[in-house]
Amino acid sequence: MRTEESKPGSTYISQIPKGYFEAKEDIHAPLVKPERSWRATVTLAEIGFYAAWFGPIQVLLGLQAAFIAPSDKELVLSLVTGFGAFVSMVSNPFFGALSDHTTSRYGRRAPWVLGGTLIGVFGLVFLAASWSVWAMVFSWALVQAGVNAAFAALSATLNDRIVVERRGEMSGWMAAGQNLGALAGTGVAVAARGIVLGYVACITLLCVSVIPYLWRSRDRYLSHRDESYRMTKFISRFWISPLNYPDFFWAWFVRLMVLTPFGIITLYLLYYLMDVVRHPNPQYGVLILSGIFTGLTVVISVMAGLISDYQGKRKPLIIVSGILMAVSALILAFFHSWEAALVSSIFLGVGHGCFIPVHFALTTQVLPPSDDTGRDLGIFNTAAALPQVLSPILAMPILALVSNHDTGYSILFGVCAAWFVLGAVAILKVKSVK
């Protein structure tokens, strides 16, 4: 039993309970190394979040759009994913900031992981029953809002708990979970052999993956909340000046630049296999490519995170990752065959696996000096959500204006290759991290 003395203008937790769910440590407790059990539950939760995103993105939404509007499937898919990405971009920093100032006996992050997961489940249920374009738009937006709330809160636990010297390692495990989740979501969506059953499978995977983390989250609690923290102050704090924090801005910019072409490739892969490669079973083609890509990403993520921790250098690995992903895009642009797509997935997997954990570890080192980690990482994560908005906006004019599918995708993926390189090289603008 622990009692906090009353402080003017504050609310406070008078008792720290000892059950499984309740927080055990104050947010200002010393940072620690990642414990195996905690690392495992965080990784598993990441699997659930990404399964809920990528099962629909890579398979189910595309099939649903093709069923509702066969002649305009690209336009419908772009509308649904674009609006959902906008919701993701707004909700991630918003809910991350709310978690920063949550005083709860269960911790300041865990309640948002639970609530966001439940909202995501409802959104997936509505998607399964959506057979019009606007119903799909609404339901997918709900999924994005809920899962992003949970994801933003969970991401902030890295800065809440883990020492800087081990963040590359922990980022690697989180990236591994994310990519395993993307593969698992794609796998269950394909294996379900039906759109509705695919959504049911994604719901099940999301719930099963998040429960262990909630059971033993070891979340840290915020014992005092500033009562003067009003909505106007809350909104104003979402602006982080690039002039005052240039390294944070450039880290954000690099993520935006690299993940935009990555988003284009993953979003249109199903249609690329349909219309350019002319694969006899494009859904299974996506699953096979995702399996290769994800397997490599998982292995490389952990290795790259450990290497960057050992060397104390992040930027060289980020530049190499951009070049590897550019090679992947060029292969898709100029070699329209199934064999070439397999080789492309190898380069994409290695490059992506190197980029995600190393760049995230770098970002945790350039955050503004405050206790608003959820807000800051939420703003950082808009650089992952914004590409989902930009991807269809940038891709559709090329695919619409060029009537020949082969030529259209060659131009599109050629642009992606240039974008990968330019984005990765921009990391040199970050000065405070090697």
Side-chain angles (χ1 to χ4, degrees):
M1 200 79 71
R2 177 177 172 180
T3 303
E4 299 286 350
E5 293 183 2
S6 175
K7 294 186 178 181
S10 301
T11 58
Y12 31 110
I13 298 176
S14 61
Q15 295 181 340
I16 306 304
K18 298 182 179 180
Y20 277 113
F21 296 103
E22 290 83 349
K24 304 298 191 302
E25 295 178 312
D26 185 275
I27 194 61
H28 299 297
L31 299 177
V32 298
K33 297 178 181 179
E35 305 95 332
R36 289 182 180 179
S37 59
W38 184 82
R39 182 178 64 194
T41 59
V42 170
T43 303
L44 188 59
E46 296 280 1
I47 290 175
F49 297 154
Y50 273 72
W53 276 323
F54 278 86
I57 286 175
Q58 291 204 291
V59 178
L60 299 175
L61 292 176
L63 294 177
Q64 213 166 354
F67 181 84
I68 293 173
S71 59
D72 296 309
K73 60 182 184 293
E74 291 93 348
L75 179 61
V76 172
L77 180 62
S78 298
L79 177 64
V80 173
T81 57
F83 187 78
F86 173 77
V87 172
S88 170
M89 184 176 63
V90 173
S91 61
N92 202 298
F94 177 77
F95 288 112
L98 288 177
S99 72
D100 287 333
H101 297 276
T102 296
T103 55
S104 164
R105 62 188 291 182
Y106 305 107
R108 63 173 182 171
R109 312 296 184 188
W112 295 99
V113 174
L114 174 60
T117 299
L118 292 176
I119 293 172
V121 167
F122 285 122
L124 290 169
V125 169
F126 294 151
L127 260 177
S130 297
W131 296 106
S132 71
V133 173
W134 292 110
M136 285 182 65
V137 168
F138 170 79
S139 300
W140 182 238
L142 193 62
V143 173
Q144 287 282 28
V147 179
N148 268 283
F151 178 72
L154 187 68
S155 297
T157 61
L158 188 68
N159 273 51
D160 288 351
R161 292 186 57 85
I162 306 302
V163 293
V164 173
E165 295 79 10
R166 299 292 292 272
R167 288 181 189 171
E169 174 195 346
M170 191 61 214
S171 296
W173 283 104
M174 293 171 76
Q178 292 164 10
N179 287 279
L180 284 172
L183 177 61
T186 303
V188 298
V190 172
R193 295 181 178 273
I195 295 173
V196 174
L197 290 178
Y199 283 123
V200 172
C202 288
I203 291 169
T204 303
L205 192 52
L206 173 61
C207 294
V208 169
S209 298
V210 174
I211 287 173
Y213 173 78
L214 292 173
W215 182 252
R216 294 299 297 271
S217 69
R218 300 180 187 174
D219 199 8
R220 292 185 169 183
Y221 67 89
L222 181 66
S223 58
H224 300 89
R225 179 175 58 210
D226 184 0
E227 293 296 341
S228 66
Y229 201 76
R230 297 291 183 259
M231 183 56 66
T232 53
K233 185 178 179 181
F234 177 79
I235 295 173
S236 68
R237 290 176 68 86
F238 283 100
W239 171 249
I240 298 177
S241 172
L243 295 177
N244 295 334
Y245 305 103
D247 282 357
F248 179 79
F249 167 77
W250 283 111
W252 179 92
F253 180 77
V254 167
R255 189 174 180 86
L256 173 68
M257 288 289 288
V258 171
L259 293 188
T260 295
F262 177 80
I264 290 173
I265 292 173
T266 56
L267 180 61
Y268 291 98
L269 184 59
L270 178 65
Y271 295 157
Y272 176 78
L273 294 181
M274 280 183 182
D275 300 329
V276 178
V277 176
R278 295 172 181 83
H279 193 283
N281 195 327
Q283 296 100 300
Y284 279 95
V286 170
L287 180 59
I288 292 170
L289 294 178
S290 298
I292 296 172
F293 157 84
T294 303
L296 288 168
T297 300
V298 169
V299 174
I300 298 300
S301 292
V302 178
M303 292 175 58
L306 288 169
I307 290 171
S308 71
D309 281 345
Y310 177 76
Q311 293 182 335
K313 296 180 180 180
R314 318 283 192 194
K315 291 192 287 188
L317 288 172
I318 292 173
I319 293 173
V320 169
S321 71
I323 294 172
L324 291 172
M325 288 188 277
V327 172
S328 171
L330 289 173
I331 292 172
L332 292 176
F334 294 108
F335 302 96
H336 299 162
S337 68
W338 172 243
E339 292 76 16
L342 291 172
V343 175
S344 173
S345 68
I346 294 174
F347 280 94
L348 191 64
V350 175
H352 187 254
C354 186
F355 177 79
I356 292 298
V358 178
H359 185 264
F360 186 73
L362 179 146
T363 302
T364 66
Q365 295 176 246
V366 297
L367 295 179
S370 72
D371 197 30
D372 294 322
T373 303
R375 176 208 63 181
D376 297 338
L377 287 177
I379 293 172
F380 164 72
N381 283 328
T382 62
L386 188 55
Q388 298 176 49
V389 178
L390 295 176
S391 296
I393 294 174
L394 296 170
M396 276 306 299
I398 297 175
L399 298 178
L401 292 174
V402 181
S403 57
N404 182 281
H405 286 299
D406 291 23
T407 304
Y409 278 101
S410 291
I411 296 172
L412 180 63
F413 291 149
V415 171
C416 287
W419 211 322
F420 276 129
V421 175
L422 291 173
V425 170
I427 199 64
L428 295 174
K429 289 288 187 177
V430 174
K431 302 302 183 183
S432 62
V433 181
K434 293 182 181 180

